[in-house]
Amino acid sequence: MRKNKRKFALLLAATMLTGLLAGCGGSEETPQTEETGRFSETEIALPEGISDMQTMAKLDDGSLEVIASNSDTYCILRSSDMGENWDVTPLESLKDSYINPVAIAPDGTAALFEVLSNKKSDESYTFTYKLKLASPEGEIKEINFQIPSSGNEDAMISGAAYDSGGNLFVQDTDARLLKINTEDGSCSQPFDTDGKYISYFSIAGKTLCAVNTEGIMLFDTETGEALDAESTMDDIVKNTDYGSVPGYDRGAPMLLAEGDDGSILIVNHEGIFRHTLGGSVNEQLANGELNSLNDTNLILLSAVMMDTNNIVVAAFADGGKEKILHYTYDANASAVPEKELSVYALEDSALLRQAVTIFQKNNPDIYVKLEIGTSGEDGVTAEDALKVLNTNIMAGKGPDVLILDGMPIDSYIEKNILEDISDIVDEVDKEDGLFDNIKAAYRQDDGKQYTMPMRFYTSIVTGDAESVAAGSSLKKLADRAESLKKQGNTPYVLMPRRTDDLLIELYCMDSASWKKEDGTVDTDKLKEYLTQAKRLHDVDEFSKELIPETSYWGEAQMYGSAENIGNLMGMTQIGFGTFAGISQMQMLYSVQAQNGNTFGLMDTDSAKSFAPYLLTGVVSGGDTDTAKQFVKALLGKEANSGAENGFSVNRAAYEAACKDDMAETDQSISSSIHGGDGEQRVDVDILPLTQENIDSCTAMLESLTEPSMTDRVVQNLVLEQGQKYLDGTQDLDTTVKEIQKKINLYLSE
């Protein structure tokens, strides 16, 4: 069986300077004004057993070619009927190779760069390459190739592409654009990029598009001459954020490809656009809000325009699952769906957008309008957004569906703002199964239910058996941490963290027991939370430079890998934080096998708490039937697939994700941490989950009973004042009084 090359891929991805383009902001779009006509989306199935797509291209004969892998080696896949049937040609000589990147020529020849790692004395790596050309019949020709010297021995190839004339170009991590002579492997540097750092490049026909922070430089691939700037294409780039593609070692947030009649095709999460050179607009062909492109978890790989009415996009969905999306123009389809469903959330979420995309795809006659209350950029606070939302609801102008994370749910129930969704919850439970304890936490005494989360988190503590047992209360945990500090066996007892990170992690696990029957906060429990948080905060003295960046409670907030790595290196003894997914479960059991430590729930003496994520509710007085249909989709197996961003409440989705992580693996993660004595490195071998692992963890999740407090205004008030106490600028009694005063004022409004 072909081995998984993930360890090497992670090392490679960590070293490469990706700087890929994100978004299509700033472009001028031409709305589709005709009453009918829209590109509809279907999915092209790859042959069974095929995975790990490298790239995709349209050939001169009109067929579609993909380079991917089966369980043994890399393969050439070719289809002449838009993926109805595939011819698969294995490249047996590449069985034990790691290939990255790959480019496909118009005649079907594939350029595959085999990566060879060379370990240096300081435990770091340099990389060299073998260029292997695969003919359409699968014959391999090896070309002597070496990246031209730039004085940087760590230079690597970050991208490769052919132009329509069959010329091969690559980019290295020194931002050089090179042309490779495929006869002898020699390189030239035909393009003058004027000293600009090129983040990413693509080729559309015979136009090379070099993306930099100021825009897109265009070059003629035959002559090397710079072409006139296209301001509307530059607008796509300006004022956008740059970054690497999360979770995978190839792909891009935006694709540029050859369009029809010499145009340039642009694909990103906002949709599919066509730009004619010299034109003044980027014409929108397909609106991303109406298809899978709106899913920001989707990592875009390749795009081709087969003809005017057919566009194909290769991508990776959440978890690295390959997708080939086929967009076909339907002249009879309504340009915009006639029915609209409005969904409101305080904060944006890739998981929510993924669920919206799935619902939109399965219900093409419904347009889901997603409104986000706080962007984090305009100064609007959660309290501001909620005041506007509540005013609109009372005026009958509210949304159809509420994502209730951060909202005053009890108040909405008391004011009859929310519909009973127990029928929908029970339907999903009957079809797929739900975690009964999570369902029960939101079921009213009269049998009604007004909300249900898509996902949930909990809190854990890791370390030796005595430390894990101490996690049953904040006081016991603080006692244990102070005791270990006196022993002085490690530089730190706890992993250094920011004050707001510490407070939110402890809030997540402790606040479930604070709420009194009248909705106010128990003063004694609030004081105890702050007291023990202060003790934990003061256990270690550490440099501010060691504090990681803030990662806020919400999507992807997890017990960090730094906790595991610090413990493995002997830097720390206790780890704690949010436990948020099956991939993390696998990591924890792998670390446990390596160092003998264990993990368990926090706060089990007072309440076995969980943090709900993407709580969904239906607003009374709106389109309740369609809204309930949407809620059912959110709770369903398809929307809940994936092993991260919380545990799925859907048992079928949870069990499927567990099964995926029981598969054979030879993954390893190499990480480092910087301390007073310099850098230390450790390898973590990621082991497949066993049924015993899954059963043990499932039992722990099934024991959870109480949701933590989710009202974002209350949470922010606690964090705002709590930081002052932990930082030593405000005493405990003043802090508690200020929190209670402001909470009571908020609840009275």
Side-chain angles (χ1 to χ4, degrees):
M1 175 175 286
R2 179 172 176 264
K3 292 292 185 180
N4 188 314
K5 302 295 180 182
R6 196 69 185 121
K7 174 180 178 180
F8 190 72
L10 283 168
L11 285 170
L12 182 63
T15 309
M16 293 176 67
L17 302 175
T18 49
L20 300 177
L21 176 65
C24 197
S27 66
E28 182 182 353
E29 300 173 7
T30 299
Q32 294 176 319
T33 57
E34 62 267 34
E35 295 182 359
T36 60
R38 172 160 44 113
F39 276 88
S40 59
E41 178 187 283
T42 56
E43 190 169 334
I44 295 175
L46 287 166
E48 186 174 352
I50 293 296
S51 62
D52 201 28
M53 274 195 302
Q54 300 290 315
T55 192
M56 176 184 70
K58 173 189 173 184
L59 305 186
D60 283 337
D61 63 4
S63 60
L64 191 66
E65 181 168 307
V66 173
I67 304 298
S69 304
N70 59 20
S71 58
D72 292 320
T73 190
Y74 293 93
C75 302
I76 299 173
L77 286 71
R78 190 173 296 111
S79 175
S80 58
D81 53 13
M82 297 297 293
E84 290 291 330
N85 298 281
W86 292 96
D87 294 324
V88 180
T89 304
L91 302 174
E92 298 292 351
S93 64
L94 301 181
K95 183 174 295 186
D96 296 319
S97 302
Y98 175 70
I99 303 294
N100 190 44
V102 175
I104 300 174
D107 66 356
T109 299
L112 306 106
F113 292 85
E114 181 181 6
V115 189
L116 307 173
S117 63
N118 306 290
K119 194 171 185 178
K120 298 194 295 187
S121 59
D122 62 356
E123 300 297 312
S124 62
Y125 293 82
T126 59
F127 302 94
T128 57
Y129 295 86
K130 288 183 180 179
L131 172 55
K132 298 190 174 183
L133 300 179
S135 72
E137 295 74 33
E139 297 177 357
I140 301 291
K141 177 183 178 182
E142 186 171 317
I143 306 297
N144 292 323
F145 165 74
Q146 185 174 354
I147 301 176
S149 175
S150 65
N152 176 13
E153 65 173 350
D154 296 325
M156 300 165 61
I157 299 174
S158 58
Y162 278 97
D163 70 1
S164 58
N167 299 300
L168 178 60
F169 299 86
V170 299
Q171 178 183 351
D172 69 5
T173 50
D174 285 333
R176 295 180 298 173
L177 296 170
L178 307 171
K179 181 179 181 180
I180 299 179
N181 184 325
T182 54
E183 294 297 324
D184 59 14
S186 61
C187 294
S188 59
Q189 193 169 345
F191 310 114
D192 181 4
T193 56
D194 196 27
K196 292 182 172 62
Y197 182 83
I198 304 303
S199 303
Y200 169 76
F201 90 101
S202 291
I203 295 179
K206 294 184 180 179
T207 302
L208 185 143
C209 308
V211 179
N212 62 85
T213 56
E214 298 178 11
I216 302 176
M217 302 181 74
L218 305 176
F219 298 94
D220 186 313
T221 58
E222 289 189 327
T223 66
E225 294 181 359
L227 303 177
D228 291 339
E230 299 285 329
S231 60
T232 54
M233 291 184 67
D234 290 343
D235 287 343
I236 298 172
V237 180
K238 292 176 180 177
N239 302 317
T240 59
D241 294 327
Y242 285 77
S244 61
V245 180
Y248 219 74
D249 53 8
R250 57 185 170 275
M254 185 187 80
L255 304 174
L256 299 161
E258 184 176 12
D260 55 350
D261 299 326
S263 65
I264 295 177
L265 194 71
I266 303 168
V267 181
N268 66 7
H269 292 299
E270 294 181 11
I272 301 175
F273 303 82
R274 175 171 52 202
H275 178 82
T276 301
L277 293 178
S280 60
V281 296
N282 298 320
E283 177 191 3
Q284 187 174 52
L285 303 179
N287 185 347
E289 293 183 353
L290 303 180
N291 54 54
S292 297
L293 294 174
N294 192 49
D295 178 6
T296 53
N297 282 324
L298 198 71
I299 299 173
L300 305 174
L301 180 63
S302 303
V304 294
M305 177 174 269
M306 302 300 290
D307 55 47
T308 302
N309 294 325
N310 291 278
I311 298 168
V312 183
V313 177
F316 297 108
D318 190 23
K321 180 182 178 182
E322 290 81 4
K323 284 180 175 289
I324 298 183
L325 305 172
H326 180 198
Y327 297 92
T328 306
Y329 186 73
D330 183 352
N332 296 318
S334 173
V336 178
E338 296 179 1
K339 183 181 289 187
E340 180 176 296
L341 181 76
S342 58
V343 178
Y344 182 97
L346 270 181
E347 295 177 349
D348 205 352
S349 158
L351 184 60
L352 173 60
R353 288 188 179 275
Q354 175 180 297
V356 168
T357 296
I358 291 171
F359 180 81
Q360 191 89 70
K361 183 177 178 180
N362 294 333
N363 298 273
D365 60 327
I366 302 172
Y367 169 61
V368 179
K369 180 183 178 182
L370 179 60
E371 182 181 355
I372 305 301
T374 57
S375 66
E377 299 175 355
D378 53 11
V380 176
T381 66
E383 188 170 5
D384 295 334
L386 285 172
K387 287 179 180 178
V388 174
L389 172 65
N390 294 339
T391 299
N392 289 336
I393 290 175
M394 294 306 174
K397 300 177 182 178
D400 299 302
V401 175
L402 285 174
I403 303 302
L404 291 158
D405 294 13
M407 297 186 187
I409 300 174
D410 291 342
S411 175
Y412 286 174
I413 294 174
E414 292 171 3
K415 295 175 180 177
N416 297 316
I417 288 174
L418 300 177
E419 286 279 339
D420 175 21
I421 59 170
S422 59
D423 53 340
I424 295 300
V425 173
D426 290 342
E427 282 182 30
V428 178
D429 196 4
K430 185 177 180 180
E431 293 173 8
D432 297 334
L434 294 171
F435 271 90
D436 290 336
N437 54 318
I438 307 300
K439 173 183 172 182
Y442 294 98
R443 190 60 60 110
Q444 305 287 312
D445 292 340
D446 60 4
K448 293 182 179 181
Q449 186 163 345
Y450 299 98
T451 187
M452 184 73 180
M454 279 184 68
R455 302 286 179 103
F456 63 97
Y457 306 155
T458 189
S459 299
I460 56 169
V461 58
T462 68
D464 59 22
E466 189 173 351
S467 297
V468 171
S472 60
S473 76
L474 285 182
K475 183 180 184 304
K476 292 178 182 177
L477 186 63
D479 289 343
R480 176 63 176 165
E482 289 176 348
S483 174
L484 290 173
K485 184 63 178 179
K486 290 178 182 178
Q487 296 175 25
N489 294 329
T490 55
Y492 307 99
V493 175
L494 307 171
M495 194 69 189
R497 49 173 45 84
R498 293 170 59 105
T499 303
D500 51 353
D501 281 340
L502 174 64
L503 285 169
I504 195 61
E505 287 168 356
L506 300 182
Y507 182 96
C508 174
M509 55 80 69
D510 196 61
S511 64
S513 62
W514 297 1
K515 188 184 294 185
K516 298 165 66 174
E517 289 187 5
D518 62 0
T520 59
V521 171
D522 187 303
T523 299
D524 291 337
K525 291 184 177 179
L526 174 61
K527 179 178 284 190
E528 176 70 3
Y529 156 79
L530 291 169
T531 298
Q532 306 310 329
K534 176 67 170 172
R535 291 179 65 197
L536 289 167
H537 176 270
D538 292 347
V539 165
D540 292 304
E541 295 180 4
F542 49 83
S543 167
K544 293 293 183 182
E545 295 177 357
L546 287 174
I547 304 176
E549 292 294 324
T550 301
S551 51
Y552 215 67
W553 178 41
E555 181 167 358
Q557 168 67 19
M558 299 167 54
Y559 169 86
S561 61
E563 301 272 352
N564 288 313
I565 302 306
N567 186 265
L568 279 174
M569 289 180 173
M571 297 285 291
T572 63
Q573 295 185 65
I574 300 176
F576 63 85
T578 307
F579 185 31
I582 294 165
S583 294
Q584 190 184 0
M585 181 202 306
Q586 185 179 20
M587 175 72 167
L588 285 166
Y589 281 120
S590 297
V591 171
Q592 179 175 310
Q594 195 158 327
N595 68 0
N597 280 345
T598 186
F599 67 94
L601 287 176
M602 294 179 72
D603 199 30
T604 53
D605 279 354
S606 56
K608 293 189 176 182
S609 63
F610 64 90
Y613 181 44
L614 295 182
L615 283 159
T616 309
V618 173
V619 178
S620 299
D623 186 353
T624 55
D625 290 340
T626 305
K628 284 187 174 184
Q629 185 181 349
F630 179 77
V631 170
K632 185 176 181 181
L634 260 63
L635 299 178
K637 180 181 178 181
E638 185 178 9
N640 274 279
S641 63
E644 299 175 356
N645 292 327
F647 295 98
S648 170
V649 298
N650 186 293
R651 291 300 293 256
Y654 171 82
E655 290 164 6
C658 286
K659 185 177 180 180
D660 286 344
D661 279 354
M662 291 180 69
E664 181 180 352
T665 178
D666 67 349
Q667 296 180 27
S668 178
I669 295 177
S670 181
S671 298
S672 62
I673 191 169
H674 294 269
D677 298 327
E679 182 181 85
Q680 298 183 51
R681 182 177 294 274
V682 66
D683 290 334
V684 182
D685 295 322
I686 306 301
L687 306 176
L689 287 173
T690 66
Q691 191 61 53
E692 182 182 0
N693 293 155
I694 294 169
D695 291 344
S696 176
C697 187
T698 301
M700 183 174 71
L701 297 177
E702 289 174 337
S703 73
L704 304 172
T705 57
E706 300 292 332
S708 54
M709 294 179 65
T710 58
D711 190 315
R712 190 57 44 81
V713 176
V714 173
Q715 176 186 304
N716 289 345
L717 290 173
V718 173
L719 297 184
E720 175 191 345
Q721 297 299 318
Q723 287 187 70
K724 296 178 182 179
Y725 172 55
L726 265 61
D727 290 340
T729 59
Q730 187 168 273
D731 63 54
L732 178 61
D733 288 339
T734 301
T735 300
V736 172
K737 288 179 182 178
E738 283 297 310
I739 292 173
Q740 288 288 34
K741 180 177 70 174
K742 293 184 177 183
I743 288 177
N744 291 337
L745 177 62
Y746 163 68
L747 293 176
S748 67
E749 293 178 348

